[in-house]
Amino acid sequence: MSSNIKKIKGLNNKKSVIKIYDDKLSQELADIIQEITHTGEKTLPPTDLKKLKTICKQSDKYVKEAYDLLTKHLEEKHAEVRLSAFQICDEIFRRSHCFRDQLILNLETVVKLTAGKDLPPPVHVAQQLKRFALTTIHEWNTIYGKQYKKLAIGFNYLRQVEKIDFTALNLLDTATSAKQQELKRRQEAINRERIKKVLVEFKEKEADIIATLTSLSNSINLLLPHPDDFFITDNDDRNDAEPLPTTSHGESQTGGGDSDDNSQDVSFREVGMINTKHSIQLHLMPCSEACVVETPENAIIIENAQEYARLISTKYLPSVKAWLEVLSKSPEEGEDQRRLIELRGELEDVMFKYGRMTFKYADYVSSDSELEEVPDVQTDKLTTVFNIEDPSTWSIVSKEEAVGDPTSLQTRLASAKKSENDPGPSTSTGSQSVSDRKQKLLALAPKLPFDVDLYHWEDDKLPVPTMIPNSTEGHRFWLGSESCMDELPVPEGSAALRTRVIEFTGNFSPVSHSCRVRLPSGKLCPRRDRLKCPFHGEIVPRDENGVCIDPKDAMRIQKLQEKRQQEKPDWQDPKLLAEIKRTTGIDLKMPEKGKRKKRKKEYPGLTDLKKIENTVTKRLESKIFKKSVMRKVSSAMDRIDQRKFQDKYGDQFQYFYNS
């Protein structure tokens, strides 16, 4: 009895293991089909397709599961997904009898989803899907039509009732290929004509391009000569060799003892060389830019160089590049194309040399200038002093002014003169401190410009300001001029004319602390808010592990979390929610805070249908033909028409009572 029980237990364990393994393969099968159908490629990936075939070979159960999964993908609103799913159907259909039975049983539905009238976007992929589906069904009938009677009947139904011409598909392929060949032949003829035109144009402009290139090169060499240009002739070499010491036989002395070296050094001192045993090496480092100072001698050269560079950069070099682009379409590389490539390299080199030059325009005056220098005039000599006491001197002081008047000019001048001669007693310490404090306060006091509050400072009664409303919906062309001129009072009223908003500019203290709450990923929250984090509440000091340093802060935060968890409505009782779901099938459970919904997996290979639908026309239609906008436009137009008829026919009897 115990052995039987052990066998049963072992059998049960074996069955449970097999069931787990089946669930794992089923999930793997679903994942593979999901990945293949959402690649967005025109062909199936061979690696994933091989895994799919390996799973389907193990049992017909997996074949049926694959058919159910592929049928769901054929119903998706994306033509690329349907195309990949039907390609998988074709691969399994040719290898599995079970799959053929399942698909032929629902052949009408499969044809409707792959070759029907209402196929999802993209449009070009939908056309490709329809064409591939009809071609594949025609091949299925040719290969398996005699073995599967339902397939032959379905094929005849599509051909006779639905009027699908399967033979026209081959004709369509032939016509498409012929059309493509014709387009290719026309394009080749157009390219040949363009090449001929380019060669003629190149022959006409080659001399001008070479002349401009040579002129710019010569101008650059004149402005910045190369060190190789400073050559030394043979005559100079002979003259340099004359001062060398010679022997009695007339040969130059290049070796010998110490006496020879001393005599050679003495001879070289005569020409400025102290010792010939030392050598000096000069390394010329190329600079990134060369500055050329404009002078009267090189001004015309600089002007010509700039003109040649402008011609090459704006006319000749773009033309050469365009000619090369046209000649690159020729199947053969000719001599003209090689010459153009060399010419392009020469033009780019000379423009590179010109680009390294910078010009400094000096302010120079020619010697024959008629301008004469004017000597500086001393300002003191031009100062005129008017004596007020002298009656013969003209004065701006009126004789009618009283001498004792403190506001008169005579009194002020006299007091100023007295203060210069006799400074008077010094100010007291108290008044000086008050003055210093006043100066400091004036330096800190803000200076406000003249604004509307100062303009209405003395007005007792202020009118309520109004504003013209700005319509946020629609366009100004949709609204009548009468409705746009209706002014509305400002919400603040007359107080808006007596207030002024002054921004406070204080010293900014940067935030040095962070939130440091432990995140689900294991990291610490890096937000640097000053007082409160928008995700985790009040910011308190925490250690490197995200634990509160002060136990009081930890207790307070824990109480707040418990209070928030307890704040749930009564109708969120789990038992009540379970009963409602069991009765109505609707889950009314509120999502828990702090837990994000699982994002839907994105597939970048698929074409984004939202971008296809989000066109300019769609956006304009959604704004213009909106119901609220249409109602507003119609009411505004009715009001304008009513006012127009009232102005014209308001005094007539019938229009008076119909208004």
Side-chain angles (χ1 to χ4, degrees):
M1 184 70 180
S2 61
S3 61
N4 293 333
I5 293 173
K6 290 181 180 179
K7 289 180 180 179
I8 293 172
K9 287 183 178 180
L11 184 62
N12 292 335
N13 294 334
K14 187 176 181 181
K15 287 182 179 179
S16 62
V17 172
I18 293 173
K19 185 175 181 182
I20 294 171
Y21 182 72
D22 289 345
D23 293 341
K24 183 179 179 181
L25 279 181
S26 299
Q27 183 63 36
E28 185 179 356
L29 178 66
D31 295 339
I32 292 174
I33 293 177
Q34 180 76 13
E35 290 292 335
I36 294 176
T37 54
H38 287 74
T39 57
E41 301 292 336
K42 295 182 180 180
T43 58
L44 302 178
T47 306
D48 295 337
L49 186 61
K50 186 177 180 180
K51 293 180 182 178
L52 176 62
K53 293 178 183 178
T54 304
I55 296 174
C56 291
K57 285 179 182 178
Q58 297 188 14
S59 176
D60 290 342
K61 175 186 176 183
Y62 301 120
V63 176
K64 293 179 181 179
E65 290 181 0
Y67 173 77
D68 295 336
L69 292 171
L70 291 172
T71 305
K72 292 180 181 179
H73 289 301
L74 286 174
E75 295 175 354
E76 290 193 20
K77 301 296 183 181
H78 204 294
E80 293 178 353
V81 177
R82 293 192 183 187
L83 177 59
S84 301
F86 190 77
Q87 288 177 342
I88 299 174
C89 291
D90 182 32
E91 293 287 339
I92 305 177
F93 187 90
R94 298 175 187 271
R95 291 169 175 80
S96 175
H97 170 72
C98 178
F99 192 86
R100 287 195 288 267
D101 288 338
Q102 294 288 330
L103 194 142
I104 292 172
L105 187 63
N106 298 320
L107 182 62
E108 183 180 359
T109 305
V110 174
V111 173
K112 185 178 180 181
L113 294 173
T114 55
K117 296 180 180 180
D118 300 330
L119 294 178
V123 179
H124 65 283
V125 182
Q127 294 176 355
Q128 184 181 357
L129 170 63
K130 183 176 181 179
R131 188 175 171 185
F132 176 74
L134 295 177
T135 306
T136 306
I137 293 172
H138 184 268
E139 293 178 359
W140 289 351
N141 180 68
T142 304
I143 301 172
Y144 306 102
K146 296 180 180 179
Q147 302 176 9
Y148 298 91
K149 191 67 176 178
K150 293 182 180 179
L151 178 59
I153 294 173
F155 179 78
N156 292 330
Y157 172 81
L158 294 174
R159 185 179 60 182
Q160 296 174 5
V161 179
E162 298 293 338
K163 303 298 181 181
I164 297 177
D165 190 4
F166 291 95
T167 59
L169 296 175
N170 297 328
L171 298 176
L172 184 61
D173 295 338
T174 306
T176 304
S177 61
K179 186 177 180 180
Q180 291 178 355
Q181 292 178 1
E182 180 65 19
L183 291 175
K184 185 178 180 181
R185 185 184 62 80
R186 290 182 180 179
Q187 188 64 37
E188 290 177 354
I190 293 171
N191 291 338
R192 286 195 297 270
E193 293 296 330
R194 288 179 178 175
I195 290 171
K196 291 180 181 179
K197 186 178 179 180
V198 162
L199 293 177
V200 172
E201 190 175 358
F202 171 58
K203 294 296 182 183
E204 293 176 354
K205 296 183 179 180
E206 183 179 8
D208 297 338
I209 296 175
I210 294 175
T212 306
L213 175 63
T214 307
S215 301
L216 182 58
S217 300
N218 295 335
S219 301
I220 294 175
N221 292 332
L222 289 173
L223 295 173
L224 289 176
H226 197 269
D228 296 339
D229 296 338
F230 297 98
F231 58 90
I232 301 174
T233 60
D234 296 337
N235 296 328
D236 297 335
D237 296 338
R238 286 194 294 270
N239 295 331
D240 293 338
E242 288 178 358
L244 293 175
T246 58
T247 60
S248 60
H249 298 285
E251 296 178 355
S252 61
Q253 187 175 4
T254 58
D258 297 336
S259 60
D260 295 334
D261 293 338
N262 295 331
S263 61
Q264 187 177 5
D265 291 342
V266 171
S267 301
F268 271 104
R269 280 197 198 96
E270 296 177 357
V271 293
M273 298 179 65
I274 300 175
N275 191 353
T276 59
K277 296 179 180 180
H278 299 283
S279 62
I280 300 174
Q281 294 181 355
L282 299 178
H283 298 280
L284 299 178
M285 302 297 294
C287 59
S288 59
E289 291 185 356
C291 183
V292 179
V293 181
E294 182 183 4
T295 60
E297 291 78 11
N298 65 358
I300 189 65
I301 302 176
I302 294 175
E303 184 179 355
N304 292 337
Q306 292 175 348
E307 181 65 22
Y308 297 143
R310 186 187 63 80
L311 281 174
I312 292 175
S313 62
T314 60
K315 184 178 180 181
Y316 294 144
L317 188 57
S319 299
V320 171
K321 291 182 179 179
W323 295 339
L324 278 174
E325 185 177 357
V326 175
L327 292 179
S328 63
K329 298 178 182 179
S330 176
E332 299 178 357
E333 183 178 357
E335 183 65 27
D336 297 324
Q337 187 173 358
R338 288 192 291 271
R339 178 70 188 110
L340 270 174
I341 293 174
E342 295 176 359
L343 187 59
R344 181 186 63 182
E346 294 175 1
L347 291 173
E348 290 178 349
D349 290 342
V350 73
M351 288 304 297
F352 175 74
K353 293 179 181 178
Y354 178 78
R356 293 174 58 187
M357 298 172 59
T358 57
F359 300 102
K360 183 178 181 182
Y361 301 96
D363 297 332
Y364 57 87
V365 181
S366 59
S367 58
D368 55 350
S369 176
E370 297 180 358
L371 298 177
E372 296 180 358
E373 295 184 358
V374 179
D376 295 337
V377 180
Q378 296 295 331
T379 317
D380 298 337
K381 296 180 180 179
L382 298 178
T383 307
T384 304
V385 180
F386 295 98
N387 188 4
I388 299 176
E389 298 177 355
D390 189 2
S392 61
T393 307
W394 177 84
S395 174
I396 61 172
V397 181
S398 177
K399 297 179 180 179
E400 298 178 357
E401 291 181 350
V403 179
D405 189 1
T407 60
S408 63
L409 181 60
Q410 288 182 342
T411 307
R412 282 182 284 160
L413 290 175
S415 61
K417 187 175 181 180
K418 182 178 179 180
S419 61
E420 290 179 359
N421 298 330
D422 187 10
S426 60
T427 57
S428 61
T429 307
S431 61
Q432 186 176 3
S433 62
V434 172
S435 178
D436 294 342
R437 180 174 177 275
K438 184 177 181 181
Q439 293 295 331
K440 292 180 180 179
L441 292 177
L442 288 176
L444 297 175
K447 297 180 180 179
L448 298 179
F450 188 79
D451 205 352
V452 67
D453 58 337
L454 298 179
Y455 183 79
H456 297 284
W457 186 265
E458 297 180 353
D459 294 344
D460 297 334
K461 296 181 180 180
L462 292 178
V464 178
T466 58
M467 63 179 179
I468 299 176
N470 185 15
S471 179
T472 58
E473 296 182 357
H475 196 268
R476 61 187 180 88
F477 293 149
W478 289 93
L479 301 175
S481 59
E482 292 84 357
S483 60
C484 294
M485 297 304 294
D486 296 337
E487 297 183 357
L488 298 176
V490 177
E492 292 83 1
S494 59
L497 300 178
R498 293 188 181 277
T499 57
R500 178 186 294 198
V501 179
I502 301 174
E503 297 182 356
F504 173 73
T505 56
N507 295 326
F508 174 75
S509 58
V511 180
S512 59
H513 58 270
S514 58
C515 180
R516 302 183 67 82
V517 173
R518 178 70 63 179
L519 299 175
S521 62
K523 299 180 180 180
L524 301 180
C525 180
R527 287 191 60 91
R528 289 181 175 272
D529 299 280
R530 191 172 297 277
L531 299 175
K532 186 177 181 181
C533 177
F535 302 106
H536 307 105
E538 182 184 359
I539 297 177
V540 296
R542 297 176 183 268
D543 57 7
E544 297 179 354
N545 298 323
V547 181
C548 296
I549 297 176
D550 191 354
K552 296 181 180 179
D553 295 335
M555 291 291 294
R556 185 175 70 257
I557 293 174
Q558 185 178 0
K559 289 181 180 179
L560 288 175
Q561 291 178 354
E562 292 177 355
K563 185 178 180 181
R564 290 175 182 174
Q565 292 178 358
Q566 293 176 359
E567 290 179 354
K568 288 186 178 180
D570 297 336
W571 58 274
Q572 283 293 309
D573 186 14
K575 296 182 179 180
L576 178 61
L577 293 175
E579 185 177 356
I580 293 173
K581 184 177 181 181
R582 184 171 57 254
T583 306
T584 62
I586 302 174
D587 189 8
L588 299 178
K589 184 179 180 181
M590 295 175 60
E592 296 181 3
K593 295 182 179 180
K595 292 186 178 181
R596 298 182 179 179
K597 293 184 178 179
K598 188 178 180 181
R599 283 188 174 183
K600 188 178 180 181
K601 190 174 181 180
E602 297 179 355
Y603 299 95
L606 290 177
T607 305
D608 192 358
L609 299 181
K610 293 182 179 179
K611 291 184 178 179
I612 297 176
E613 295 177 356
N614 188 19
T615 59
V616 179
T617 306
K618 294 281 186 182
R619 293 196 297 269
L620 289 176
E621 287 179 354
S622 62
K623 291 183 178 180
I624 294 174
F625 298 108
K626 193 177 179 181
K627 289 185 178 180
S628 60
V629 176
M630 296 293 290
R631 281 196 301 268
K632 188 178 294 185
V633 170
S634 61
S635 61
M637 294 180 69
D638 292 341
R639 186 168 61 253
I640 294 172
D641 292 340
Q642 185 178 3
R643 185 173 297 180
K644 187 185 299 181
F645 280 108
Q646 184 69 22
D647 294 340
K648 289 185 178 181
Y649 312 107
D651 55 346
Q652 297 184 13
F653 180 77
Q654 61 271 26
Y655 292 103
F656 180 77
Y657 285 100
N658 290 333
S659 59

